[in-house]
Amino acid sequence: MGPYIVRRLLLVLPTLVGIMLINFVLTQFVPGGPIEQILSELEGKGDVFESISGSSSETFERGQDERYVGGRGLPPEFIKQLEIEFGFDKPPLQRFISMMLSYLRFDFGESYFRSISVLDLVWEKLPVSITLGLWSTLIAYIISIPLGIRKAIKDGSTFDTWTSAAIIVAYAIPGFLFAILLLVMFAGGSYFQWFPLRGLTSDNFNDLNFVQKILDYFWHIFLPVLASTISSFATLTLLTKNSFLDEIKKHYVTTARAKGISEKKILYGHVFRNAMLIVIAGFPGLFLGVFLSGSLIIETIFSLDGLGRLAFEATVARDYPVVFGTLYFFGLIGLAVGILSDLMYVFVDPRIDFESRQT
């Protein structure tokens, strides 16, 4: 197992470089940038997209200085100074190499518009996203595994039919739509105000005792976790059911029953371990789905100050150090969770040998 883990670790760096390179190249073709953003704000337009949408296609065919200055009446010296300050006076390849060398030292520079280091921003927002992802994943597993096993045992029964209908409905509802529905229904919308509208804690959180702080925390996180769990819960339940059904139909189960072994021991002593392999394999994808795409949508809707919302706001503002810094962390966490998934495979079933697998 050791050589396999070493090979996976050695692949982390080139994979990260590939992810960063693709996104870096894409940003070179996206209209606007941090300099355009600053110039738009100086002119009182507020957002770079307004100036882009109001310009003709000929604007993008001109030179760098002409694109910035044309129609703005700003001195070229000012534009040059901004380019030097942001590092855009260097060729793209040189900027990318310099960025990656700094990132390998976990030096992400400073935000263009917040006057704070990117590392401090990421560490500040990361706990919110990880908390949301972990709670959603754990709750999905706690509910889905017993329900999936029960559905497999009662396959074709009334219980299986009704729960399948409920699961299909839950899967069909988009996460963002369900989140908005929860806000309208239970967070001060048109109906009830049972839960807070935004944030993870109340304003008087520091004045609460230990028990009150725990209750306040769960009170705030209940709706966001529920919204991010709904679709993953449906997928995981069906995955668990189908995995158990496949195992129950195998010959070793028939043989065990013929020997007079109890049904409970067959299910939880033999079938469970084999069926859970594919379920455990889905853990990284489920967690990353909530952590990456889910965190962006849910954090924005519920005004949670997490990493997904930070990345979204940085992208809109063209704050490239924050954009690439958060992307680097997302990629690094994704690769680490992938390795963890393989370790969990071996933990559940020691018979699995990854060393014979070609990387």
Side-chain angles (χ1 to χ4, degrees):
M1 188 63 182
Y4 171 76
I5 295 299
V6 172
R7 292 197 300 269
R8 288 294 300 273
L9 291 174
L10 291 177
L11 284 174
V12 169
L13 179 58
T15 305
L16 270 178
V17 172
I19 294 173
M20 300 299 293
L21 178 61
I22 292 173
N23 286 272
F24 183 85
V25 171
L26 290 176
T27 59
Q28 307 306 308
F29 298 98
V30 176
I35 296 179
E36 284 278 1
Q37 185 74 19
I38 291 177
L39 298 181
S40 296
E41 293 177 357
L42 289 175
E43 291 191 341
K45 295 182 179 180
D47 196 283
V48 67
F49 297 117
E50 298 180 18
S51 61
I52 293 175
S53 61
S55 60
S56 64
S57 59
E58 296 178 356
T59 303
F60 301 106
E61 298 176 0
R62 301 171 185 170
Q64 183 80 1
D65 292 342
E66 185 179 358
R67 185 178 73 242
Y68 287 142
V69 180
R72 296 182 183 271
L74 296 172
E77 294 79 9
F78 178 72
I79 305 299
K80 287 292 185 183
Q81 184 62 36
L82 285 177
E83 290 180 352
I84 295 174
E85 181 178 348
F86 290 130
F88 290 109
D89 57 322
K90 301 174 183 177
L93 180 60
Q94 183 179 347
R95 284 190 283 121
F96 176 76
I97 294 175
S98 177
M99 180 184 72
M100 289 308 303
L101 290 176
S102 299
Y103 280 14
L104 292 177
R105 304 191 303 269
F106 284 88
D107 178 12
F108 300 98
E110 188 173 287
S111 169
Y112 285 159
F113 306 110
R114 302 192 183 209
S115 298
I116 184 174
S117 71
V118 175
L119 190 59
D120 290 339
L121 272 175
V122 170
W123 282 121
E124 179 184 344
K125 314 297 183 182
L126 189 60
V128 175
S129 298
I130 290 182
T131 298
L132 183 62
L134 282 179
W135 275 118
S136 300
T137 305
L138 288 175
I139 291 175
Y141 269 79
I142 290 173
I143 296 175
S144 299
I145 291 178
L147 180 59
I149 295 174
R150 185 68 176 176
K151 284 175 63 62
I153 296 174
K154 299 291 185 179
D155 184 42
S157 65
T158 303
F159 171 81
D160 181 45
T161 302
W162 282 103
T163 53
S164 295
I167 288 172
I168 292 173
V169 172
Y171 184 76
I173 299 176
F176 74 91
L177 184 60
F178 187 65
I180 295 173
L181 178 64
L182 290 176
L183 283 178
V184 173
M185 292 290 296
F186 305 111
S190 305
Y191 299 93
F192 309 102
Q193 193 170 0
W194 294 348
F195 297 94
L197 182 62
R198 58 176 58 88
L200 284 181
T201 57
S202 301
D203 294 334
N204 64 335
F205 183 78
N206 294 328
D207 299 329
L208 303 176
N209 59 42
F210 180 73
V211 176
Q212 290 174 330
K213 286 182 177 180
I214 295 178
L215 295 176
D216 181 76
Y217 169 76
F218 284 108
W219 182 48
H220 280 77
I221 204 174
F222 181 81
L223 292 184
V225 169
L226 181 60
S228 60
T229 304
I230 188 71
S231 60
S232 56
F233 148 78
T235 304
L236 188 58
T237 300
L238 294 178
L239 178 65
T240 303
K241 175 192 174 181
N242 294 332
S243 179
F244 259 77
L245 285 177
D246 290 340
E247 290 296 323
I248 289 174
K249 295 176 182 178
K250 291 184 177 179
H251 293 298
Y252 74 88
V253 175
T254 304
T255 303
R257 286 171 175 167
K259 291 181 178 180
I261 301 176
S262 66
E263 194 71 15
K264 184 176 180 180
K265 186 173 182 180
I266 293 173
L267 288 175
Y268 296 101
H270 300 280
V271 174
F272 182 83
R273 184 178 66 177
N274 296 328
M276 282 299 98
L277 284 175
I278 189 172
V279 176
I280 291 175
F283 177 86
L286 184 63
F287 173 78
L288 290 179
V290 176
F291 181 74
L292 301 180
S293 59
S295 64
L296 171 60
I297 299 172
I298 301 302
E299 288 173 13
T300 302
I301 293 177
F302 287 95
S303 300
L304 301 177
D305 201 13
L307 201 57
R309 186 181 176 191
L310 172 67
F312 171 75
E313 293 175 349
T315 302
V316 172
R318 297 294 198 267
D319 196 346
Y320 288 158
V322 178
V323 171
F324 289 115
T326 53
L327 178 65
Y328 187 86
F329 267 89
F330 279 138
L332 191 60
I333 291 175
L335 294 171
V337 172
I339 297 175
L340 178 62
S341 173
D342 291 344
L343 293 177
M344 292 175 66
Y345 258 122
V346 177
F347 177 77
V348 173
D349 190 349
R351 295 172 299 175
I352 295 178
D353 182 18
F354 281 108
E355 293 190 14
S356 60
R357 175 178 168 183
Q358 296 295 325
T359 303

